Amino acid sequence: MLSRLTRRGLLRLFGAGALAFGSGVLNGCALPTRSSVMPQPQTNPNPAFTPDLDLTIRAVAAEVSILPGKPTRVWTYQAQVHAGDPAAVQPIPDSYLGPIIRVRTGQKVRITFENGLPDPRQASIIHWHGLHTPPAMDGHPYTAVRPGERYVYEFTVTDRAGTYWFHPHPHGQTAQQVIMGLAGLFVVSDPAEEAIGLPGGEYDLPLVIQDRTFDADNQFVYDPDPMTRLMGFLGERILVNGRPDLTITAATRAYRWRILNGSNSRIYKLAWDSGMPLTVIATDGGLLERPLTRPFVMLAPGERIELWVDLRNIPPGTTLKLISQPFSGAEGVGMMSESGNMDHGMGGMHGQMGMMRSGNAPPLGAPLDILHVQVTRQEQETLVLPALLTPIQRYRREEAVNATTPRRIALSLRGMEWRINGKTFVMDEVAPDEIVRLNTLELWEIVNETNPGEMMDPMGMAHPIHIHGGQFQIIQRTVLPELQTGWEEVKDGYVDEGWKDTILVMPGERVQILIAFRDYTGMYVYHCHNLEHEDAGMMRNYRIEV
Ligand code: C2O
Ligand code: CU
């Protein structure tokens, strides 16, 4: 019989792909031993669970027309409602993106995931990014299922109204599956949000920003070389909702925009080309307490931001452009001096800009056009941007059980591997300092270290750190003086006032967060949401214990 160690060894060496690929061998004998500390997979519905919404989501191969000419082969999530409101599933027409799933806080959902991917090596599992679910419902990579298999999620949505999302989470293959198209929005509403009267219906606009590279045949290119695996994939073209060069037509009125950075590793510095400030109303975990304005907003992979876009004073006939402004400092590769060491005095030059990457993609931090808005028609409405959105109970540092001794999450590079506290991902491994107590609030300090002596990227790179299990709060950021210059270019675009599940940590930055562990015990992952980093092992388990 295959031991857990065999499974673990396989996974460590080759990722989940090897596990799935090896399944032909495994089929003849017993399945690998399931560890009792790991999330216990659920492959059948529980008859005692009565869902308000019951649906199937299938990951399948399809063809979508994206560029003129040949259609593009993609993988996509297709959903079907069995019981509950059929409007809970809202497809995005002509897109490889999955449908928008719309639920209300308090609803019980059953979602049967079917892995219908055409490649036997593609084990998969869905993670509900940002939702507070039990470990077995969270899409831990341990629970990935092979093509032809299914996984049954049953949980109550307990989260605040907000823009969450879902995407694959098999270890070692998340990046490829997301590139191929597997991702969708999961929008939660609640009475507190509805009471405010924000723009709804067609004026509530989801926008998923991704980057892709196409070959001459209009097919996605994803064949990461070692440098791409180290730094992350950057695509040549920006797609919004799966479309290149998106132009939205709009009326002279207020809109709610829900923006997700669904890119594998590209970070955006979103701004209006005109210099008009952005009005931010929500972050990862829903509405802010009050609207905030920013000259630009930093949006790293996995993060969401919601904007109040007021076009009432824009004359019809005007075209606005949403851009990503240039920034430096998010990666340091290519800035080695002849001695192979980074020149600490050259903060301003740091990260200009991945000169060692191959391909024609704009470098990380290059200026980009994201989308155009054409104001085409007059419309009267009387919506008012509320001065107060929804209350947020701020945690206080003193309430943390470790208020004076933060739990340290150090991000570093060893050779060609990004690590967390010096470690790489092992499927069922949890270190003693990765165990937390149920019903406690903790202070975590995420430290993006420099890596003196590391040839590949001595000053490190930006990492969007995502913690499964729920939302946290950011209380403090500091940066090393020698990396201040790059940081200054982005820091005014942080929105740290709201609930967060993913946080951009720039090179040399140290961020303190307060995170509570409630309701469920068990194993969750935390990781870098640069999907190439995640796949390469920049992920760890943490366990909540009684
Ligand atoms: Cu959005 Cu663990 O991922
Ligand atoms: Cu990373």
Side-chain angles (χ1 to χ4, degrees):
M1 185 169 138
L2 274 148
S3 70
R4 179 162 34 120
L5 195 68
T6 304
R7 176 189 171 90
R8 172 174 139 175
L10 273 174
L11 283 159
R12 177 164 34 200
L13 288 173
F14 305 115
L19 182 69
F21 191 62
S23 64
V25 183
L26 295 180
N27 279 343
C29 43
L31 282 169
T33 309
R34 288 288 183 180
S35 164
S36 62
V37 300
M38 299 305 291
Q40 295 304 297
Q42 182 169 325
T43 51
N44 286 303
N46 170 6
F49 183 88
T50 48
D52 301 303
L53 178 64
D54 188 347
L55 56 116
T56 292
I57 298 183
R58 233 172 111 71
V60 294
E63 289 198 333
V64 181
S65 189
I66 302 173
L67 301 176
K70 263 199 160 182
T72 305
R73 286 185 297 276
V74 302
W75 295 342
T76 187
Y77 288 128
Q78 287 175 350
Q80 193 190 352
V81 179
H82 307 298
D85 183 1
V89 166
Q90 182 194 335
I92 302 181
D94 306 316
S95 176
Y96 56 79
L97 287 171
I100 303 171
I101 312 287
R102 293 186 182 273
V103 303
R104 300 176 57 79
T105 304
Q107 277 189 322
K108 291 162 80 178
V109 295
R110 172 184 293 145
I111 303 174
T112 304
F113 166 60
E114 291 180 6
N115 183 348
L117 294 177
D119 177 345
R121 290 166 302 182
Q122 299 290 336
S124 197
I125 193 71
I126 295 179
H127 169 53
W128 316 99
H129 181 126
L131 295 187
H132 176 55
T133 66
M137 299 298 140
D138 188 57
H140 191 288
Y142 185 79
T143 59
V145 295
R146 299 181 283 230
E149 296 179 343
R150 66 178 183 183
Y151 197 93
V152 180
Y153 298 89
E154 290 169 334
F155 58 88
T156 303
V157 178
T158 61
D159 306 83
R160 305 171 87 225
T163 307
Y164 304 91
W165 67 300
F166 59 101
H167 62 78
H169 220 296
H171 182 49
Q173 287 167 303
T174 295
Q176 183 188 4
Q177 291 184 9
V178 172
I179 284 287
M180 286 302 288
L182 295 175
L185 288 172
F186 194 98
V187 173
V188 178
S189 59
D190 68 17
E193 175 200 48
E194 280 155 5
I196 306 172
L198 293 169
E202 61 176 298
Y203 308 113
D204 174 348
L205 204 63
L207 297 165
V208 180
I209 308 176
Q210 298 175 306
D211 56 345
R212 293 287 184 274
T213 295
F214 294 85
D215 66 14
D217 245 1
N218 287 354
Q219 304 309 309
F220 289 147
V221 177
Y222 188 72
D223 187 13
D225 56 19
M227 186 54 62
T228 304
R229 287 180 194 280
L230 178 70
M231 304 306 287
F233 170 85
L234 296 175
E236 293 174 4
R237 302 192 64 148
I238 300 301
L239 306 186
V240 179
N241 295 347
R243 312 240 59 95
D245 309 314
L246 183 71
T247 298
I248 298 164
T249 57
T252 55
R253 54 162 294 139
Y255 286 80
R256 176 183 191 172
W257 281 14
R258 305 171 182 265
I259 309 179
L260 159 67
N261 181 352
S263 310
N264 278 31
S265 85
R266 191 179 288 283
I267 300 164
Y268 303 95
K269 181 177 176 178
L270 297 176
W272 290 111
D273 186 41
S274 66
M276 181 166 78
L278 299 167
T279 303
V280 184
I281 57 170
T283 53
D284 300 340
L287 292 169
L288 294 166
E289 198 151 67
R290 41 180 61 81
L292 297 169
T293 56
R294 290 285 188 272
F296 56 86
V297 164
M298 295 307 297
L299 202 64
E303 288 187 303
R304 288 86 68 210
I305 201 87
E306 293 187 31
L307 304 178
W308 170 274
V309 177
D310 191 344
L311 304 176
R312 280 176 284 205
N313 294 319
I314 310 288
T318 310
T319 299
L320 303 175
K321 189 157 81 167
L322 188 75
I323 58 170
S324 182
Q325 292 181 342
F327 59 96
S328 63
E331 65 181 18
V333 155
M335 282 313 296
M336 287 171 292
S337 68
E338 271 159 36
S339 67
N341 290 318
M342 183 67 74
D343 180 350
H344 286 226
M346 293 176 64
M349 294 291 288
H350 171 58
Q352 291 195 359
M353 315 228 185
M355 277 148 40
M356 289 169 73
R357 287 175 183 276
S358 54
N360 299 317
L364 187 57
L368 300 163
D369 286 358
I370 305 296
L371 59 82
H372 290 84
V373 185
Q374 244 167 33
V375 181
T376 55
R377 55 188 204 278
Q378 285 283 355
E379 214 172 279
Q380 263 343 301
E381 44 81 344
T382 53
L383 290 172
V384 180
L385 173 62
L388 288 175
L389 297 166
T390 51
I392 290 179
Q393 174 116 45
R394 290 300 298 187
Y395 298 140
R396 286 176 302 122
R397 182 191 295 265
E398 316 80 83
E399 295 164 346
V401 290
N402 60 341
T404 55
T405 51
R407 190 179 294 273
R408 190 181 149 87
I409 313 291
L411 315 175
S412 65
L413 180 67
R414 288 293 166 273
M416 292 290 275
E417 243 180 29
W418 298 103
R419 298 186 175 205
I420 297 178
N421 286 337
K423 300 185 193 74
T424 188
F425 184 63
V426 177
M427 187 60 85
D428 58 357
E429 183 183 281
V430 64
D433 64 356
E434 291 172 320
I435 296 171
V436 300
R437 293 236 165 263
L438 186 66
N439 294 323
T440 60
L441 179 75
E442 285 209 3
L443 176 64
W444 286 19
E445 184 170 64
I446 307 168
V447 185
N448 196 347
E449 299 188 318
T450 59
N451 304 278
E454 286 296 327
M455 276 287 290
M456 291 319 295
D457 205 347
M459 302 311 276
M461 81 178 278
H463 300 285
I465 299 301
H466 172 46
I467 306 172
H468 286 215
Q471 303 288 320
F472 52 81
Q473 294 180 358
I474 301 167
I475 57 169
Q476 187 187 304
R477 291 183 187 256
T478 52
V479 70
L480 294 176
E482 64 266 35
L483 289 171
Q484 185 116 18
T485 314
W487 185 74
E488 296 281 349
E489 291 176 39
V490 307
K491 74 167 194 334
D492 293 340
Y494 290 143
V495 187
D496 290 347
E497 288 84 345
W499 288 102
K500 295 288 292 172
D501 55 54
T502 308
I503 178 180
L504 174 58
V505 188
M506 286 288 284
E509 199 171 28
R510 179 181 292 257
V511 187
Q512 291 195 342
I513 66 169
L514 289 168
I515 178 167
F517 310 102
R518 299 220 173 89
D519 305 317
Y520 314 118
T521 56
M523 203 82 110
Y524 294 91
V525 292
Y526 63 109
H527 60 88
C528 181
H529 220 288
N530 177 319
L531 297 183
E532 282 72 29
H533 292 188
E534 174 187 341
D535 276 352
M538 198 179 187
M539 172 158 72
R540 290 289 301 171
N541 285 306
Y542 77 96
R543 192 163 79 222
I544 306 176
E545 287 185 351
V546 186

